[in-house]
DNA sequence: CTGGTCTCCTGATCGC
DNA sequence: TGCGATCAGGAGACCA
């Protein structure tokens, strides 16, 4: 499932295939995976069905038709496609959610393994598609660079370059388990369930530990180990747990390096203790009771 | 405002 | 072999 390293791998593989290309035409196969300027509030198809309001009709301008892709950047798990053209500087964000894929296909190339393509961007020499079986992800369109900036401002600092001082500031007033803080994108952008468990293990911090009870040294260590695990995962091309793949359809290899995620009941790679499991912040959480002792 | 819980969705896996 | 039950989880809605 895509977290920061997977999104970064998609970004890197995407750039050489889309930079400088014009979006010639956009085909929307499912309107409800898109949030456009002027849509009622609420994310993608996440509103309760009894209160779901009708989104506005999409127009070619909002869909960035005729714009040229200038860059692909990332903040946390948000993949930002920057364009410019007759509309000025605009942008869209692709969120992969649980099962989202962005892939670029050559002209005529079949979309192998992509059975839920919701949006297709036609480029001069091929096409980029957004596929998402579970539809936890989606596409956000922005009318201006300023609107994009405002959206990203709600997120915490990017986890790939998080420094101890930044993380201490972000956690300063948090009175909840550190695991919940790490998963909160407003605190730290980019960490999901896999890398939260891995970083806490590497930093020898129990996931249930209250953020407010961590010492400055604890938080510094956590920031350093978070960076480290994310960097290593990026180098491995991300973790392919189910069917994650980059923009060329290549799988990652970091799932082979997981020390706790998915290993509940197995021995700790450091001390041999049986790894514990529980549910924390609505997420399956795995930790070593000996290497990550609970403290008060 | 804060933190905790519910909800959306469907492919993969499991037990019988 | 088939089929229903269960699990996975990002993040906005909702609630105390």
């Amino acid at each position: 499932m895509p977290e920061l390293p997977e999104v970064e791998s998609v970004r890197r593989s995407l750039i050489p295939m889309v930079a400088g290309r014009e979006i010639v035409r956009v085909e929307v196969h499912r309107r409800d995976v898109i949030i456009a300027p002027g849509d009622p509030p609420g994310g993608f198809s996440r509103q309760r069905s009894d209160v779901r309001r009708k989104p506005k009709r999409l127009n070619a301008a909002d869909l960035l038709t005729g714009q040229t892709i200038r860059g692909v950047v990332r903040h946390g798990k948000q993949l930002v496609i920057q364009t410019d053209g007759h509309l000025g500087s605009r942008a869209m964000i692709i969120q992969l959610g649980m099962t989202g894929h962005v892939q670029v296909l050559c002209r005529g190339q079949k979309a192998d393994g992509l059975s839920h393509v919701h949006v297709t961007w036609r480029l001069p020499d091929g096409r980029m598609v957004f596929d998402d079986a579970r539809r936890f992800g989606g596409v956000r369109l922005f009318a201006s660079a300023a609107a994009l900036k405002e959206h990203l401002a709600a997120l915490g600092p990017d986890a790939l370059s998080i420094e101890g001082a930044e993380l201490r500031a972000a956690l300063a007033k948090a009175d909840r388990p550190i695991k919940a803080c790490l998963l909160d994108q407003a605190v730290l952008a980019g960490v999901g369930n896999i890398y939260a468990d891995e970083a806490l293990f590497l930093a020898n911090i129990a996931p249930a530990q209250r953020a407010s009870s961590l010492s400055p040294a604890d938080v510094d260590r956590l920031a350093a180990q978070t960076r480290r695990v994310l960097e290593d995962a990026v180098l491995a091309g991300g973790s392919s747990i189910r069917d994650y793949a980059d923009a060329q359809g290549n799988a990652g290899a970091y799932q082979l390096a997981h020390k706790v995620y998915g290993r509940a009941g197995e021995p700790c790679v450091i001390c041999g203790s049986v790894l514990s499991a529980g549910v924390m912040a609505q997420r399956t959480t795995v930790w070593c009771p000996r290497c990550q002792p609970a403290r008060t």
Side-chain angles (χ1 to χ4, degrees):
Chain A
M1 50 230 61
E3 298 181 27
L4 187 154
E6 292 74 36
V7 178
E8 178 64 15
S9 296
V10 170
R11 186 187 78 82
R12 292 182 184 185
S13 57
L14 202 51
I15 288 177
M17 296 189 286
V18 301
R21 310 300 201 282
E22 182 190 352
I23 297 173
V24 177
R25 193 169 76 243
V26 185
E27 294 158 14
V28 177
H29 312 111
R30 269 199 84 114
R31 171 66 178 85
D32 62 3
V33 302
I34 295 180
I35 294 176
D39 273 354
F44 305 120
S45 52
R46 294 295 77 83
Q47 294 182 36
R48 293 207 329 258
S49 54
D50 56 320
V51 297
R52 190 172 298 163
R53 274 153 294 176
K54 200 179 173 70
K56 73 163 214 173
R57 192 183 183 80
L58 294 171
N59 60 53
D62 283 342
L63 286 166
L64 309 181
T65 306
Q67 295 284 104
T68 296
I69 297 174
R70 287 303 174 203
V72 184
V73 301
R74 178 194 60 71
H75 186 87
K77 305 171 196 171
Q78 314 264 315
L79 188 67
V80 183
I81 313 286
Q82 301 170 318
T83 68
D84 69 56
H86 66 290
L87 299 167
S89 289
R90 288 209 167 196
M92 66 177 166
I93 282 178
I94 300 177
Q95 285 178 235
L96 299 179
M98 272 282 291
T99 51
H101 300 98
V102 177
Q103 278 186 31
V104 178
L105 305 165
C106 303
R107 184 183 295 281
Q109 183 182 354
K110 273 204 64 180
D112 277 336
L114 301 175
S115 46
H116 302 273
V117 173
H118 304 312
V119 186
T120 301
W121 293 268
R122 296 281 171 186
L123 308 175
D125 52 351
R127 67 196 194 276
M128 178 171 80
V129 298
F130 172 66
D131 172 280
D132 188 5
R134 223 164 285 182
R135 306 207 303 279
F136 277 21
V139 177
R140 254 177 224 280
L141 302 167
F142 295 90
S144 65
L148 167 74
K149 194 173 174 186
E150 187 185 356
H151 175 79
L152 295 179
L155 298 172
D158 189 75
L160 192 54
S161 56
I162 188 68
E163 299 281 347
E166 276 180 310
L167 190 56
R168 288 202 301 274
L171 296 175
K173 281 175 286 185
D175 182 30
R176 50 180 170 155
I178 184 62
K179 167 86 184 244
C181 297
L182 290 180
L183 293 178
D184 187 342
Q185 302 300 297
V187 171
L188 182 65
V191 175
N193 202 38
I194 296 173
Y195 299 104
D197 279 9
E198 295 296 319
L200 287 166
F201 173 77
L202 293 171
N204 300 114
I205 293 171
Q209 186 91 32
R210 294 261 144 187
S212 54
S213 72
L214 293 172
S215 70
D218 287 335
V219 180
D220 284 350
R221 214 169 54 248
L222 181 56
Q225 294 302 334
T226 299
R227 281 201 311 275
R228 180 185 150 195
V229 72
L230 294 174
E231 284 165 5
D232 287 352
V234 168
L235 289 176
S239 300
S240 289
I241 298 294
R242 286 176 183 79
D243 61 351
Y244 159 76
D246 71 11
Q248 297 178 66
N250 301 312
Y254 198 70
Q255 67 280 6
L256 302 172
H258 293 169
K259 293 185 166 65
V260 286
Y261 179 84
R263 297 194 62 242
E266 294 178 36
C268 171
V269 295
I270 300 295
C271 74
S273 301
V274 175
L275 297 178
S276 303
V279 174
M280 215 166 289
Q282 283 67 58
R283 294 293 168 265
T284 301
T285 300
V286 183
W287 72 96
C288 173
R290 190 154 154 199
C291 298
Q292 299 164 267
R295 287 179 288 128
T296 51

